Amino acid sequence: MGNVYVFDHPLIQHKLTYIRDKHTGTKEFRELVDEVSTLMAYEITRDMPLTEVMIETPVQPAQCKVLSGKKLGLVPILRAGIGMVEGILRLIPTAKVGHIGLYRDPETLEPVQYYAKMPSDIGERELIVIDPMLATGGSASEAIRRIKEMGARNIKLMCLIAAPEGVERVQRDHDDVDIYVAAIDEKLDEKSYIVPGLGDAGDRLFGTK
Ligand code: PRP
Ligand code: URA
């Protein structure tokens, strides 16, 4: 079964509080999601492999470390996942970005795909699927299923807030995928919104209703 990691760094937790707050307006919400995404990217890359290289400092030759291993790819789930992309690219500017468009049908709660475009070398990349919200897990699970169909082998899932139900669903459907979140909340409500959550992530990011 995949592991679940909760990023309890104080800066992440502090900013998440203001992201949750209903008095936080669109501009500030967007900025905070961007900032938290950078901090989460810092945490999620903690286990990246390094290799030794020789360089010359102005003083003398020195054996130093650089990143090695697989190249990264980000896959935001449209539309709310877009709000996390720039913040991650700030730390990993060479990552390629695939997009998958899914919305949760409000009646059936089933994910409906409307767009997908991945980097051509998706199978050789370590992919981070990103979405602020992991509620029932239907969208994330379906996104992961689709990108596996397109050749992805090595996938992590990064979300701001998860419900226990969503974590269980992804673990059940994709036992090879580790999940990284800033918080696991209490439950889902009757409309499958995360409680206490932050409301509708897409609407809060883009100012729609
Ligand atoms: C939200 C959110 C996730 C999904 C989570 O997107 O960004 O993608 O719901 O719910 P689930 O875990 O129950 O599938 P939404 O469907 O509202 O679409 P949007 O991003 O276009 O607003
Ligand atoms: N999608 C959201 O944007 N928020 C939730 O709480 C659940 C699904």
Side-chain angles (χ1 to χ4, degrees):
M1 184 185 294
N3 294 312
V4 184
Y5 300 93
V6 180
F7 294 141
D8 58 1
H9 192 289
L11 282 175
I12 294 177
Q13 295 304 315
H14 175 84
K15 290 177 193 293
L16 184 60
T17 298
Y18 292 97
I19 289 172
R20 290 180 185 277
D21 191 332
K22 70 175 185 182
H23 300 295
T24 300
T26 301
K27 174 179 179 288
E28 207 186 342
F29 185 92
R30 209 178 277 149
E31 289 168 358
L32 285 163
V33 169
D34 178 73
E35 287 168 17
V36 165
S37 302
T38 304
L39 295 171
M40 291 181 77
Y42 182 75
E43 296 281 11
I44 206 171
T45 50
R46 204 173 262 284
D47 63 355
M48 277 181 143
L50 292 168
T51 188
E52 304 272 340
V53 291
M54 282 302 293
I55 59 149
E56 284 187 38
T57 77
V59 179
Q60 66 166 46
Q63 196 165 30
C64 297
K65 295 176 179 34
V66 289
L67 292 171
S68 67
K70 286 185 190 303
K71 292 184 178 144
L72 283 181
L74 308 180
V75 183
I77 301 179
L78 308 182
R79 70 193 154 133
I82 290 175
M84 299 176 71
V85 172
E86 286 301 321
I88 302 172
L89 286 178
R90 199 166 294 126
L91 284 194
I92 317 166
T94 56
K96 291 199 173 165
V97 183
H99 293 86
I100 184 153
L102 292 172
Y103 67 88
R104 194 171 70 157
D105 184 290
E107 303 299 324
T108 65
L109 300 180
E110 288 301 314
V112 181
Q113 185 188 316
Y114 57 90
Y115 186 77
K117 179 84 181 169
M118 295 298 140
S120 54
D121 57 354
I122 184 177
E124 280 112 61
R125 287 184 180 264
E126 196 169 302
L127 297 176
I128 308 177
V129 173
I130 50 182
D131 193 326
M133 309 306 276
L134 181 63
T136 65
S139 305
S141 182
E142 179 64 7
I144 293 167
R145 192 183 72 76
R146 298 275 181 149
I147 63 174
K148 280 182 175 173
E149 262 178 13
M150 290 182 247
R153 301 274 163 270
N154 198 324
I155 302 171
K156 293 176 172 172
L157 173 65
M158 186 168 115
C159 304
L160 292 186
I161 303 179
E165 293 88 336
V167 170
E168 271 170 36
R169 169 80 188 265
V170 172
Q171 285 187 318
R172 195 172 63 242
D173 293 353
H174 303 285
D175 64 4
D176 54 330
V177 173
D178 288 340
I179 303 172
Y180 300 80
V181 297
I184 299 179
D185 278 9
E186 199 187 318
K187 60 178 182 183
L188 297 175
D189 70 9
E190 64 288 350
K191 288 185 179 159
S192 289
Y193 272 77
I194 299 176
V195 178
L198 53 73
D200 188 303
D203 283 346
R204 294 200 62 195
L205 266 171
F206 299 111
T208 49
K209 249 269 174 279

